[in-house]
Amino acid sequence: MASSQNGYPAGDRSLIHNPRVPGTSITFPGGLRRGPTGDLLLWVAAQLHHRVEDGGTGYGMWGYAYRAIRGATSLSNHASGTAIDWHAPRHPLGKSGTFNAAQVREIRKILAEAGGCIRWGGDYTGRKDEMHFEAVASEAACARALAAVSGSTTPEQPARPATPGDDLVILDKTFLAVGHNDFRLTVPVGTASAAWGLSTAVLSIVGNGPVTGTVYVQDDKRGIVNWPIKVTNAGGICARFWDYLPNGTTQLGIVLDAPNGGTVTIEGKAK
Ligand SMILES: [Zn+2]
């Protein structure tokens, strides 16, 4: 069986499950490796949520995905469920400084407490990937680290001060049917135009498998605007997509094939 870059077996979905981060509503769509390595990633995620940045509803998180490292041929550690992405829109691939200095100090403390078993993509020497945390130690080493930290309690702490993008709330969430979807989605009442004008309305689509098709945007002044969002994935098991909605969006036309179903979520600033 193929291995991901860190040596864990890749592509075996029987080894993957999808638990919540303890004490939160956050999951990592796609899931995590069962056992101590995935559990240590969950522990790190809980620490990130309480000590670094409120993970909110879990929007923009990601776990298992059978794919290569972007820009390379070797399999990503996501392909073995031994990596997580923490809020991709806030911490996009290739961008540095998406966490402030205090947050970075706390991240380093958390990773030290995890016995050095988890590496942060912000520490990559080349292209930074600050959303990304991955296992770089054996299952046995992760089990030892987990035993060392379990028993340590996670104090409830107030959320960090809001930064732009932190106050997105779910306005609507709709499930994609298994198979072909062709429906309209109305922008929630009271949030059209004015709120959208802040460019904080975000559409996200997460497939439980591949998703292909198009999303059309209806504008409140100009009728249907052909703003086709092509949602595809290159042969992987999961698909995800997000983008800001244009100003004045009142309706979305969803025409998507989702063989395994999925979800469509609109988030934004509710005024
Ligand atoms: Zn990642």
Side-chain angles (χ1 to χ4, degrees):
M1 174 174 288
S3 297
S4 62
Q5 184 262 343
N6 60 6
Y8 281 84
D12 184 350
R13 298 187 76 176
S14 72
L15 300 176
I16 304 297
H17 67 154
N18 195 2
R20 275 177 202 286
V21 176
T24 77
S25 59
I26 298 167
T27 59
F28 293 94
L32 293 171
R33 181 179 168 83
R34 295 177 190 275
T37 304
D39 289 351
L40 187 61
L41 283 166
L42 275 182
W43 179 85
V44 166
Q47 305 310 305
L48 291 174
H49 175 73
H50 288 293
R51 295 162 58 178
V52 176
E53 176 181 82
D54 190 328
T57 58
Y59 170 72
M61 310 292 182
W62 201 253
Y64 174 85
Y66 193 77
R67 60 171 173 79
I69 296 169
R70 276 173 283 183
T73 52
S74 51
L75 279 172
S76 161
N77 293 330
H78 286 283
S80 58
T82 60
I84 57 172
D85 288 336
W86 181 266
H87 209 298
R90 286 185 206 149
H91 309 292
L93 175 67
K95 200 168 167 193
S96 304
T98 66
F99 291 98
N100 66 33
Q103 289 175 314
V104 170
R105 276 195 299 278
E106 202 63 33
I107 288 170
R108 297 203 191 293
K109 272 170 74 177
I110 292 165
L111 298 185
E113 290 166 27
C117 294
I118 307 294
R119 175 168 60 185
W120 176 43
D123 285 332
Y124 288 167
T125 50
R127 180 183 61 183
K128 308 293 183 196
D129 191 3
E130 295 191 343
M131 72 177 103
H132 182 88
F133 295 83
E134 63 187 3
V136 288
S138 68
E139 191 121 72
C142 290
R144 284 193 296 274
L146 196 61
V149 294
S150 54
S152 75
T153 53
T154 303
E156 281 293 334
Q157 292 181 357
R160 300 270 150 185
T163 53
D166 272 1
D167 47 355
L168 292 179
V169 297
I170 289 184
L171 303 174
D172 198 4
K173 185 166 184 171
T174 304
F175 289 96
L176 287 171
V178 170
H180 187 67
N181 291 265
D182 188 346
F183 61 90
R184 303 187 72 76
L185 210 54
T186 302
V187 167
V189 173
T191 56
S193 301
W196 293 154
L198 296 173
S199 296
T200 51
V202 175
L203 170 71
S204 70
I205 297 164
V206 174
N208 301 327
V211 174
T212 53
T214 306
V215 175
Y216 298 91
V217 165
Q218 181 158 343
D219 185 279
D220 57 357
K221 295 189 187 67
R222 293 171 294 166
I224 289 186
V225 177
N226 283 339
W227 186 59
I229 303 170
K230 276 284 176 213
V231 184
T232 56
N233 70 322
I237 288 171
C238 302
R240 61 176 169 167
F241 166 89
W242 72 274
D243 205 347
Y244 293 107
L245 288 170
N247 292 353
T249 302
T250 54
Q251 287 206 323
L252 299 173
I254 310 282
V255 185
L256 295 174
D257 286 304
N260 299 310
T263 55
V264 176
T265 308
I266 301 174
E267 289 185 89
K269 244 177 205 173
K271 277 197 165 174

